[in-house]
Amino acid sequence: PINSILAAAAGYCSLWLVAKIFYWVTGKEGIGAGDFDLLAFIGSFTGFLGIWTSLTLGSLIGSIIGLTYLVTTGQLRNDVRIPFGPFLAAGAI
């Protein structure tokens, strides 16, 4: 139980910290609070290694699919929002 609680807190805080740094640098919101909760949930079940794996694979999958989507639709702008949650879930699976 302690490992699950610590991993959930680490998952939440890792994305929260990234979001705060992004906001500090750009002045815009970059990651939604639901993504924090989802990574905390993933961490509570998979532990610290699962957080790292989900984040890495989710980012890789999201980058490939997101860039493909942006290029094929011609929406190469910096204001297009692509949800990160489905890619985090795919990384966890």
Side-chain angles (χ1 to χ4, degrees):
I2 297 296
N3 188 31
S4 291
I5 293 168
L6 291 175
Y12 187 93
C13 291
S14 62
L15 276 186
W16 178 84
L17 183 62
V18 169
K20 291 300 173 189
I21 292 170
F22 183 82
Y23 184 77
W24 178 68
V25 170
T26 65
K28 295 187 273 186
E29 296 291 330
I31 301 174
D35 297 327
F36 310 156
D37 297 335
L38 181 58
L39 195 58
F41 178 76
I42 291 168
S44 70
F45 280 92
T46 63
F48 291 100
L49 184 60
I51 293 169
W52 176 251
T53 304
S54 299
L55 206 52
T56 303
L57 290 176
S59 297
L60 182 66
I61 294 167
S63 295
I64 292 169
I65 293 175
L67 284 173
T68 303
Y69 170 75
L70 293 176
V71 169
T72 57
T73 60
Q75 298 183 17
L76 293 173
R77 304 183 319 262
N78 62 354
D79 63 342
V80 176
R81 292 180 166 255
I82 298 174
F84 188 45
F87 304 118
L88 274 178
I93 291 170

